[in-house]
Amino acid sequence: MGQTSSIQQVFGIDLGGTAIKLGCFDRQGTCDRSLTIPTPQPATPEAVLEALLGAIATLDPDYHCGAIGLGTPGPADAAGRVAKVAINLTGWQNVPLADWLEARTGRPTVLANDANCAGLGEAWLGAGQGIANLIVLTLGTGVGGAVILNGQLFVGHQGAAGELGLITLNPDGPPCNSGNRGSLEQYASVQAIRRRTGLEPDELGRRAAEGDGEAIAFWQAYGRDLGAGLASLLYVLTPEAVILGGGVSASAPFFFPSMQAELEQRVLPSSRQGLQVLTAQLGNQAGMVGAAQLAWQSLRSA
C-alpha cells in the first residue's frame, strides 16, 4: 500500500481505431502532459502494443506515472485484464493487453470499454461531478453507454454491462449488428439518423436552428424515441442523472423538450424524482480522463 500511496500520476489512455490519446493525470484529474499518435494500420494487437510502449516512453521518460488505465473500443473482461474484442482493430480476440503492458512497463494496468471510460470521465470531472449514481449515453456512430453506481463503474459479472444502446425499442425494427432488432441504437445513432433522413445530424441541427419545419419535426420525433428508450433505463436504475454525450447531443435543444415530455408521460414520478438530464462536458477527452480515473480507482482497491 505504501508504494501505491506514493504514486503521484497515472496514465489515462484512449485507444481508438484512428488515434491513440494518452495523458498523465494526478489524483485531482489535472493533466500536465498529453500526446496523440495515429493508431498503427493494420491495428494488430502486437502493433498497437509497440505503439503504446513508444508513446508511454516518449510522454513519461522519467517514470512519473506509476499506473495505466486504458479504454478499448470493445468489451473487456470484468477484471479489466483482457480486451475480448476491439471494434475497428485487426485481429483482436481475447488479447491480454493489461498483462502485456505490465510485463513491458512495470506499471499496474487496468482496461475497460471506451464508452465506460467516457462515462467514468464525465462522472469524475465532467457533467456528473458530485453525482454518485448516473448513466451516460453517447449518441455517436453507435449508441454507447456507462452505468455509474455509488461513484464506481458498473460492468456486471462478466464485464459487458452498460450496453445501453442495445435495449429493444421496437421488436420489429431495423436489424442491429448485435443480433437485436429495433434497438435504441437503430433510432438514436448517427447512422440511424442518416438512414432515416439522408442527412448528417449537424446539418439537421443547422436547419432546425433556421426554422426548417421538417428538421424540427424530425428532432421532436427523435426526442420521443430517445425518451422511450431512457424510460426503460430509468425504471431499472433510477439514477440521479442522465448525461447525454456524443456528436448528436449538439442538437439537444431541439430534442430535449419532446424527450422530457416522453419521460414525464412514461415514467412514474417515484422513478424519476429529482432526475437531471444533462449534456456531457468533456467531449473527446472523456475517454482519456475516465481511463485515468479507472487507474486511480484500481490502485485504491488494490
Side-chain angles (χ1 to χ4, degrees):
M1 185 67 195
Q3 184 180 0
T4 297
S5 62
S6 69
I7 292 174
Q8 300 302 311
Q9 289 187 319
V10 298
F11 274 111
I13 303 177
D14 184 9
L15 169 59
T18 58
I20 303 172
K21 296 194 283 287
L22 306 90
C24 297
F25 293 81
D26 66 15
R27 291 175 190 272
Q28 287 70 48
T30 302
C31 178
D32 68 355
R33 310 185 298 292
S34 62
L35 176 67
T36 300
I37 62 169
T39 305
Q41 305 298 334
T44 63
E46 295 77 12
V48 168
L49 174 65
E50 294 305 322
L52 285 169
L53 292 170
I56 287 167
T58 298
L59 193 59
D60 187 33
D62 299 321
Y63 215 94
H64 292 298
C65 291
I68 298 169
L70 190 146
T72 67
D77 68 327
R81 310 300 302 163
V82 177
K84 293 182 178 180
V85 182
I87 299 153
N88 297 325
L89 304 182
T90 306
W92 286 66
Q93 292 286 335
N94 295 317
V95 176
L97 186 57
D99 289 346
W100 289 0
L101 284 167
E102 285 186 0
R104 296 286 295 274
T105 70
R107 297 169 169 96
T109 300
V110 60
L111 312 178
N113 168 271
D114 55 1
N116 282 342
C117 285
L120 198 55
E122 287 292 339
W124 186 28
L125 298 179
Q129 285 184 77
I131 301 173
N133 299 286
L134 58 97
I135 60 177
V136 180
L137 211 58
T138 51
L139 308 170
T141 306
V143 174
V147 178
I148 310 293
L149 300 177
N150 297 319
Q152 301 287 318
L153 187 63
F154 175 72
V155 297
H157 81 289
Q158 294 287 350
E163 291 290 357
L164 306 182
L166 301 184
I167 64 169
T168 301
L169 197 61
N170 174 5
D172 301 314
C176 178
N177 290 337
S178 64
N180 195 4
R181 294 188 67 88
S183 62
L184 178 59
E185 184 168 281
Q186 295 306 309
Y187 292 86
S189 67
V190 171
Q191 292 182 343
I193 292 170
R194 288 174 185 149
R195 186 189 73 241
R196 297 172 81 179
T197 68
L199 295 169
E200 296 295 317
D202 56 354
E203 172 66 11
L204 282 161
R206 185 182 64 77
R207 292 188 184 192
E210 292 171 353
D212 183 290
E214 287 187 13
I216 291 168
F218 168 78
W219 286 119
Q220 289 172 338
Y222 179 93
R224 286 194 296 273
D225 289 339
L226 185 58
L230 283 172
S232 297
L233 300 174
L234 296 185
Y235 275 125
V236 175
L237 294 165
T238 59
E240 297 163 72
V242 174
I243 298 174
L244 301 177
V248 182
S249 65
S251 291
F254 306 116
F255 64 76
F256 256 50
S258 60
M259 178 193 69
Q260 293 275 22
E262 200 72 15
L263 291 177
E264 288 169 17
Q265 178 185 324
R266 290 179 180 269
V267 182
L268 285 167
S270 56
S271 293
R272 56 178 169 84
Q273 187 172 0
L275 177 73
Q276 301 179 71
V277 184
L278 309 166
T279 51
Q281 294 177 353
L282 299 181
N284 63 10
Q285 301 300 303
M288 189 170 68
V289 171
Q293 174 67 330
L294 190 72
W296 282 123
Q297 289 185 349
S298 181
L299 287 171
R300 284 195 287 271
S301 64

